[in-house]
Amino acid sequence: MSESESGSGSGSEGDSSEGMEATFEGFAPKEGDFHGIKNLLTQLLVGTEIDASNLADAILAEPDVSSVLKVDDGDDEVFGVISPLGLKKHGKAASVAVMKALIGEKCSKHGSAKVKERITAAISGSSGKNVAILINERMINLPQELAMALTGALSEDLKEAVEADKTYKFDEVIVFCKSVESMTRGGEPAQKKKKNADGASAAAAASSGSEVLFVNLEDDVFKQNCSCSFTYPQPESQWISRKGGLKERSCRTVMLLTASQLKKSWTDLESMLT
């Protein structure tokens, strides 16, 4: 929980405190962090019927493997959260059950046959593997370097937790994250690695001729290493015109990573940021 990073950033989009230097650290979540965690989950889960309060409770129930990003442990403001929620333990929690159903529904509509097979087996438990849904979210406009404060803490926490409890030895993780679909007005993919307004970098081109962009750097790294993934547009999401002849729409991306792919993602991310 002691991973720390320094950087300038704002607590929310358009915040007047932008540019203020602060040192962020990952702390074990506690009851006083409930509303901060819920607020972050709300921005991730917008457009779904997933109960953010129930999901926040599930995260609070896993203090040994979860972290919240804060300036000081005594502060109430939570800038980020990361937590692997094992489906064997939390799969029947109301929020996790709805999330599993949502992933299955969207996968059936937007995933390839291979993706459907892998994702369905993971969320249903039919694969026989120990699977977790990885919740990873933080406030907009924070420096990308802060990704290490959360992912680094999670890596260390899981190592320690597995020594005491093998149920934390996850074979696979499912990442559910914010993304943006981008293309030119003529329908061609946006140039790879082009930055969008949120500072997101382009991932692999989607089969539709568009590209998927990620706000958080680590999600881009997860995408590069994952076994499979699919992206779907947010409900009632509209194409928005951007500079340079681009247009974008808000989406969510679901990825499946094996334990070795997750470990490689952490190594790749550390190499990029150090």
Side-chain angles (χ1 to χ4, degrees):
M1 303 294 178
S2 60
E3 188 80 23
S4 65
E5 298 286 344
S6 294
S8 61
S10 61
S12 60
E13 192 169 13
D15 194 312
S16 61
S17 64
E18 186 170 359
M20 179 183 66
E21 292 293 327
T23 299
F24 296 85
E25 296 185 47
F27 297 96
K30 54 188 180 183
E31 289 300 323
D33 298 323
F34 172 83
H35 291 292
I37 294 172
K38 179 183 175 182
N39 288 340
L40 289 170
L41 295 177
T42 298
Q43 71 181 26
L44 174 65
L45 304 174
V46 64
T48 76
E49 296 182 356
I50 300 170
D51 187 339
S53 293
N54 183 263
L55 194 59
D57 284 334
I59 291 172
L60 288 171
E62 295 289 2
D64 293 336
V65 292
S66 302
S67 290
V68 289
L69 187 66
K70 302 168 72 173
V71 175
D72 184 89
D73 195 23
D75 291 346
D76 293 330
E77 189 164 19
V78 176
F79 293 88
V81 61
I82 193 166
S83 178
L85 297 177
L87 297 185
K88 290 182 178 180
K89 181 176 181 180
H90 297 282
K92 293 184 179 180
S95 56
V96 179
V98 174
M99 180 175 281
K100 287 168 57 181
L102 174 68
I103 291 172
E105 174 194 348
K106 297 299 183 182
C107 186
S108 67
K109 294 180 181 179
H110 302 278
S112 66
K114 175 186 174 182
V115 172
K116 292 176 187 177
E117 180 180 358
R118 291 292 304 274
I119 296 292
T120 299
I123 60 176
S124 68
S126 64
S127 67
K129 297 179 179 179
N130 190 17
V131 181
I133 292 180
L134 181 62
I135 303 298
N136 177 47
E137 180 65 348
R138 58 181 186 273
M139 287 186 178
I140 299 171
N141 289 346
L142 289 177
Q144 295 287 14
E145 289 78 10
L146 290 175
M148 286 304 301
L150 288 176
T151 59
L154 175 61
S155 176
E156 293 302 316
D157 290 344
L158 282 175
K159 287 180 183 178
E160 294 179 8
V162 167
E163 293 180 1
D165 187 345
K166 297 301 182 184
T167 62
Y168 289 116
K169 187 176 178 59
F170 299 117
D171 302 308
E172 296 177 332
V173 296
I174 296 172
V175 176
F176 180 89
C177 66
K178 295 182 298 186
S179 57
V180 175
E181 186 179 8
S182 178
M183 67 171 66
T184 65
R185 291 193 182 98
E188 295 297 323
Q191 183 180 356
K192 288 186 179 182
K193 301 304 178 186
K194 181 175 181 63
K195 298 289 184 176
N196 72 358
D198 292 322
S201 56
S207 60
S208 63
S210 63
E211 289 181 334
V212 179
L213 312 172
F214 297 100
V215 175
N216 292 333
L217 177 62
E218 63 270 31
D219 293 329
D220 199 341
V221 176
F222 290 153
K223 178 63 172 65
Q224 294 171 32
N225 289 305
C226 70
S227 296
C228 62
S229 67
F230 69 92
T231 296
Y232 67 91
Q234 281 287 82
E236 302 181 6
S237 177
Q238 301 293 321
W239 287 103
I240 299 174
S241 296
R242 300 292 190 188
K243 292 181 180 180
L246 298 178
K247 58 180 183 179
E248 299 175 344
R249 64 176 177 178
S250 178
C251 298
R252 293 294 182 268
T253 294
V254 177
M255 299 174 260
L256 181 68
L257 293 92
T258 63
S260 61
Q261 289 168 340
L262 182 62
K263 183 177 180 180
K264 184 178 185 302
S265 296
W266 287 332
T267 301
D268 291 349
L269 186 62
E270 184 175 11
S271 298
M272 294 172 68
L273 296 176
T274 57

